[in-house]
Amino acid sequence: MVIVASAGGIPAVSAVLGGLAGDITVPISVVQHRAAPQDDHDALAEILSHRTRLAVRVAVEGGSAAQPGITVVPGHTMVTIDPRGRWAFGRLPWNNRPGDALLVSSAAESPTIAVILTGMLNDGSEGCCAVQSGGGVVIVEDPRDASAADMPNSAIATGCVDAVLPLRDIGAALAVLTQTDPAA
């Protein structure tokens, strides 16, 4: 599962993850547009560790992308999943769409659940179509709920979305999907 968010994303991601049971075994990756950390401390990982019952870690280059729990992509970093199922770090391109990069690489490896939350511009749109083409499921936050509606609206405009839900309902939908669908 890959969750992509930008402006207003920390409360949205917290709401989605906070509602999940602690026994979900599907690996969850979180891409939140944010500045690069000034030290080895990842504030988003710390925040999420207090808001969910799942284990939270920061992605480490070369580490397994298949670990259960939540893996946070470091701020201002392009991270993909390589063919061996490991985290691969790269430079951010000029268009700075880390959500698309992770979604496309995840969908190439296995059916993926994509969650596009609040944010400006259009990160996640290309990834939605890759996820759906790869047999995965795409859930988008209802733009009327979002702090910034651009990313949800852009995802919906692709036609590659399975469900548009209010933020409060996304966690429940994910719980159902992870119990009945092997997509990760």
Side-chain angles (χ1 to χ4, degrees):
M1 178 186 318
V2 177
I3 299 173
V4 182
S6 186
I10 293 175
V13 171
S14 296
V16 169
L17 295 176
L20 297 178
D23 61 351
I24 290 178
T25 59
V26 173
I28 302 169
S29 306
V30 175
V31 177
Q32 164 69 44
H33 296 182
R34 57 202 173 99
Q38 298 301 312
D39 53 27
D40 289 338
H41 175 76
D42 191 291
L44 179 58
E46 184 174 331
I47 290 167
L48 294 178
S49 72
H50 296 292
R51 296 182 181 173
T52 180
R53 293 173 279 193
L54 296 163
V56 179
R57 73 192 65 74
V58 177
V60 175
E61 185 159 13
S64 173
Q67 293 179 315
I70 300 164
T71 302
V72 175
V73 171
H76 202 66
T77 305
M78 183 66 68
V79 176
T80 58
I81 301 172
D82 73 16
R84 298 173 305 139
R86 306 241 171 239
W87 297 115
F89 285 37
R91 293 179 20 187
L92 283 174
W94 66 270
N95 63 358
N96 192 15
R97 294 171 53 169
D100 278 329
L102 184 53
L103 286 166
V104 169
S105 68
S106 181
E109 296 306 312
S110 65
T112 299
I113 299 169
V115 180
I116 308 301
L117 300 175
T118 181
M120 293 188 281
L121 301 176
N122 61 356
D123 193 18
S125 297
E126 178 184 335
C128 287
C129 292
V131 166
Q132 205 171 58
S133 293
V137 176
V138 178
I139 298 174
V140 175
E141 178 181 7
D142 187 327
R144 296 172 296 187
D145 266 7
S147 295
D150 289 1
M151 281 175 41
N153 279 327
S154 293
I156 293 165
T158 67
C160 298
V161 172
D162 296 292
V164 177
L165 300 173
L167 184 61
R168 69 180 176 276
D169 295 340
I170 294 175
L174 295 175
V176 170
L177 284 171
T178 57
Q179 290 174 2
T180 60
D181 189 340

